[in-house]
Amino acid sequence: MPSFDVVSEVDMQEVDNALHTTVKEITTRYDFKGSKASMERKEKEKEIILVAEDEYKLGQMIDLLSARLVKRGVDLKALDVGKVAAAAGGMERQVLGLKVGLETEVSKRMIKFLKDGKFKAQGSIQGDQLRVSGKSRDELQAAIAALRGHDFGLPVQFTNFRD
């Protein structure tokens, strides 16, 4: 029976590259001169922590990082922008989460979307991915096109297409 997997992945190497070029630009920009602005990525928590003197500079940092991520092919839907919070020394802190993997709720919404669309395909949740199987390749390709066209709030990729 033909099948494919729906996953949500982010290339962490590209995120690191974008982060490093953004940090390099921040150190050379005139409006950040003498600033204690910093960015770092927490590997295990899958988040990026921004620290700056005020909310305006945090916004500038997010804009710079977003431009670098787009240039490197990372979908901005993978970023979960947190609230600005006070940090030590009168600084402001903001956490950008990276959405990796499909949550169960999102997988259930995808399965419901396929059922409501009258596709002859069944979905099964397998950890942080969704396996969709059907009777024909054409039906699965139509399901891929429909899933690609719908916004689920995170980037989705289609892998492991088998006959």
Side-chain angles (χ1 to χ4, degrees):
M1 184 175 258
S3 67
F4 66 89
D5 294 335
V6 181
V7 296
S8 179
E9 297 173 346
V10 175
D11 187 355
M12 290 300 179
Q13 184 61 49
E14 292 298 338
V15 171
D16 278 343
N17 292 340
L19 188 68
H20 292 305
T21 56
T22 304
V23 168
K24 190 180 282 189
E25 183 174 340
I26 286 173
T27 58
T28 60
R29 277 183 55 152
Y30 180 76
D31 54 343
F32 282 94
K33 202 123 190 117
S35 172
K36 296 177 184 173
S38 68
M39 282 184 170
E40 68 174 315
R41 183 170 79 90
K42 298 282 186 177
E43 187 89 25
K44 291 188 180 186
E45 292 87 18
K46 297 206 182 346
E47 59 189 21
I48 300 170
I49 298 174
L50 311 174
V51 179
E53 284 90 10
D54 54 33
E55 215 168 314
Y56 175 75
K57 285 187 179 168
L58 285 175
Q60 291 293 314
M61 292 167 70
I62 291 173
D63 289 345
L64 289 170
L65 180 62
S66 298
R68 297 287 183 275
L69 288 172
V70 167
K71 207 178 257 188
R72 296 210 165 259
V74 177
D75 195 340
L76 292 182
K77 290 179 188 175
L79 279 183
D80 185 23
V81 181
K83 295 190 189 241
V84 176
M91 304 287 277
E92 300 285 329
R93 180 176 188 260
Q94 191 165 16
V95 177
L96 303 177
L98 293 168
K99 299 177 193 172
V100 178
L102 293 177
E103 295 175 1
T104 306
E105 182 181 314
V106 175
S107 296
K108 286 180 182 177
R109 281 195 333 217
M110 287 181 178
I111 291 171
K112 184 177 181 338
F113 176 75
L114 289 173
K115 284 183 181 178
D116 291 345
K118 306 285 190 238
F119 293 100
K120 294 179 181 140
Q122 301 82 357
S124 63
I125 300 171
Q126 297 181 338
D128 61 350
Q129 65 184 15
L130 175 70
R131 168 125 338 132
V132 179
S133 54
K135 292 187 178 183
S136 71
R137 275 184 90 154
D138 295 336
E139 193 63 39
L140 290 182
Q141 288 175 339
I144 287 175
L147 288 170
R148 199 172 262 142
H150 193 271
D151 183 24
F152 290 101
L154 67 157
V156 292
Q157 295 88 29
F158 305 97
T159 61
N160 214 6
F161 195 95
R162 293 188 223 155
D163 277 331

